[in-house]
Amino acid sequence: MTERRKRQFLIFLPVFVCVIGMSAVSVFWLNGYQQSVFEHISKFCEVIIQDNPEAEEQVLAALKEYHTFTEDEIDGNSFLTQYGYESNHFCRELGWQFLVLSLSLCLLIIGSFLVSVWYMGKQKKRRIAEMTHYLEQINIGAEGTVVQAKEDEFSPLQDEMYKTVTELYQTRDAAVNAKVNFANNLANIAHQLKTPVTAASLSLQLMEKETPNFRVGQLKKQLERLGTLEESLLTLSKIDAGTLPLEHEKVDIYTALTLAADNLSDLLQKEKISVSIPDNGCISIMGDMEWTMEALLNLMKNCMEHSPQGGTVHCDYSGNPIYVTILIWDEGEGFCQEELPHLFERFYRGKRATPNGIGIGLSLAKSIFELENGNITARTLPDGGACFEIRIYSH
């Protein structure tokens, strides 16, 4: 039986029960009425004949005559009212029987209706549960999950769900392919850059030995910048392709911050900037020490570039059972409000960006922390200064 036929059956079931019940009550009550009338007339005749045996023939004759009367001749007869009798003085038990039957029929109809409503509600809940489970499986990436096709009021919704899920799969596949293509192209560009940069560096070294002048130094800086760009592009392409090798081991936050500051020591001394790293005890995350240090170094470098000469780059960290928080901030002017939504976009350079920046450091740091089950946000402190907040969650 299809779902539609089941639903029609459940709708008409109370009506069918009502018709059958009314018919049964009518037949039963008619039989009871006829039996009660017969018993009353029989008892009445018995009393008369017992008290007046000589009147037996007259009683039987009268009974025979009564039997021949039509409904029209009997209907409306009220002969006994002149002696003080009323209709409710007779067949009293028949009224109670009819009342009991009527109540039973009502209960049967109500029960049938409630059962139908309960069953239809159960069917709807089951269908909703099936479609909810289907969407949950899709959300966790369980491909191939289907909902059994049924013809009911949920069929249009189910069809739209299939269409939407199919379109989402197609969109996802297209996005994945585009991301893979982008990562491959990025890697190709980086590799293509590597050869001319290496050749130019070698030529520059020879030129520096043979004919040293101030322009050689400028070319050297630009080549170093190109080298940094090439390395960053390779790293980003590996992240996009999901091939960046990350260790999964305990990383002490204090050690990672200290290593990042040590790698920046030459630039820090040149700009006369100090780094403040408090020792807040042993707080660690599960990740890769080298890449965590690289991400922190990029954030420190950004703060250093926007700190006033003689300023300090501040660091702090804390932990709880859910996540570890790392704060890095400077004493500069902070971020422009309109730049905040774009800070971590690749190749984005704000109004206050340094001339030698290429706009990859913050994006790279964000990608690394996301691979370690974390996130990063940026804000301007109330008293001025740019602040980066990293949260790395427990796995």
Side-chain angles (χ1 to χ4, degrees):
M1 184 182 292
T2 64
E3 290 294 326
R4 182 173 296 177
R5 290 185 178 180
K6 282 183 180 181
R7 190 168 65 255
Q8 292 174 347
F9 173 76
L10 291 173
I11 291 174
F12 288 108
L13 178 62
V15 177
F16 178 75
V17 171
C18 179
V19 173
I20 296 299
M22 290 295 292
S23 301
V25 167
S26 298
V27 172
F28 185 82
W29 188 81
L30 178 60
N31 290 334
Y33 172 76
Q34 291 174 337
Q35 181 67 26
S36 180
V37 170
F38 174 78
E39 290 173 356
H40 280 76
I41 293 176
S42 178
K43 187 62 178 179
F44 180 72
C45 293
E46 181 184 0
V47 171
I48 292 176
I49 292 174
Q50 285 180 351
D51 292 344
N52 302 283
E54 70 279 1
E56 182 178 357
E57 292 182 3
Q58 293 178 342
V59 170
L60 294 175
L63 184 60
K64 187 177 293 186
E65 183 181 359
Y66 164 77
H67 187 66
T68 61
F69 290 157
T70 64
E71 288 293 330
D72 293 337
E73 293 175 316
I74 296 174
D75 192 31
N77 188 284
S78 57
F79 176 76
L80 293 178
T81 56
Q82 59 185 319
Y83 301 105
Y85 291 98
E86 300 292 339
S87 60
N88 58 3
H89 295 158
F90 303 92
C91 301
R92 294 178 178 177
E93 70 284 356
L94 190 61
W96 285 106
Q97 291 176 1
F98 182 76
L99 179 61
V100 170
L101 286 173
S102 299
L103 290 175
S104 300
L105 177 62
C106 289
L107 291 175
L108 182 62
I109 294 172
I110 293 172
S112 301
F113 177 74
L114 292 177
V115 168
S116 299
V117 171
W118 171 80
Y119 184 77
M120 287 191 292
K122 184 179 179 182
Q123 291 293 96
K124 289 181 179 180
K125 286 182 179 179
R126 184 171 62 83
R127 290 286 283 132
I128 292 173
E130 287 177 355
M131 290 187 286
T132 302
H133 177 70
Y134 169 71
L135 290 178
E136 289 174 348
Q137 293 298 108
I138 294 300
N139 287 334
I140 62 176
E143 297 185 24
T145 306
V146 296
V147 181
Q148 185 177 357
K150 297 177 181 178
E151 291 295 329
D152 55 16
E153 64 267 30
F154 292 99
S155 297
L157 174 62
Q158 184 172 307
D159 292 340
E160 291 303 319
M161 284 173 56
Y162 279 132
K163 292 177 184 177
T164 303
V165 169
T166 302
E167 290 177 0
L168 289 174
Y169 274 138
Q170 293 173 349
T171 303
R172 184 202 62 183
D173 292 340
V176 170
N177 291 333
K179 186 176 182 180
V180 171
N181 291 333
F182 177 78
N184 292 335
N185 291 334
L186 204 61
N188 289 333
I189 292 171
H191 284 296
Q192 292 296 326
L193 281 173
K194 192 169 187 178
T195 301
V197 168
T198 303
S201 296
L202 292 174
S203 299
L204 189 64
Q205 290 177 10
L206 294 174
M207 185 185 299
E208 190 175 15
K209 291 180 180 178
E210 294 176 359
T211 57
N213 58 65
F214 75 98
R215 296 188 183 277
V216 172
Q218 293 179 340
L219 289 173
K220 187 175 182 180
K221 287 182 180 180
Q222 296 302 320
L223 285 175
E224 289 175 352
R225 186 180 178 190
L226 279 174
T228 302
L229 176 61
E230 179 263 332
E231 291 178 2
S232 298
L233 288 176
L234 278 176
T235 302
L236 289 174
S237 66
K238 290 178 182 179
I239 291 174
D240 289 338
T243 58
L244 185 69
L246 283 180
E247 299 292 336
H248 189 70
E249 58 188 11
K250 277 191 174 183
V251 175
D252 182 71
I253 301 301
Y254 178 79
T255 302
L257 288 168
T258 303
L259 288 174
D262 289 344
N263 279 271
L264 281 175
S265 58
D266 291 341
L267 288 175
L268 290 169
Q269 290 177 4
K270 181 179 179 181
E271 301 295 332
K272 298 181 180 180
I273 305 293
S274 62
V275 178
S276 171
I277 305 174
D279 187 353
N280 294 340
C282 183
I283 296 177
S284 60
I285 61 170
M286 297 302 295
D288 187 291
M289 173 61 82
E290 290 298 323
W291 286 112
T292 301
M293 184 268 294
E294 180 72 21
L296 294 173
L297 183 150
N298 285 332
L299 299 181
M300 286 185 185
K301 184 179 179 183
N302 186 277
C303 288
M304 179 199 72
E305 291 171 346
H306 294 85
S307 294
Q309 193 172 31
T312 301
V313 174
H314 301 272
C315 302
D316 197 9
Y317 59 95
S318 61
N320 59 51
I322 301 175
Y323 56 82
V324 171
T325 301
I326 304 171
L327 297 175
I328 300 176
W329 70 96
D330 59 45
E331 298 173 347
E333 298 178 1
F335 301 111
C336 296
Q337 192 64 30
E338 65 272 13
E339 294 179 350
L340 285 175
H342 309 287
L343 282 177
F344 300 101
E345 295 177 2
R346 293 180 183 179
F347 307 109
Y348 176 78
R349 302 181 73 250
K351 296 178 181 178
R352 300 169 185 169
T354 57
N356 294 327
I358 55 178
I360 290 181
L362 295 184
S363 174
L364 182 61
K366 179 177 182 291
S367 298
I368 292 171
F369 288 129
E370 286 177 348
L371 290 175
E372 294 180 332
N373 197 35
N375 59 53
I376 181 171
T377 57
R379 65 178 185 271
T380 299
L381 298 175
D383 297 332
C387 178
F388 295 102
E389 180 175 348
I390 305 107
R391 284 189 179 182
I392 301 177
Y393 295 84
S394 303
H395 290 276

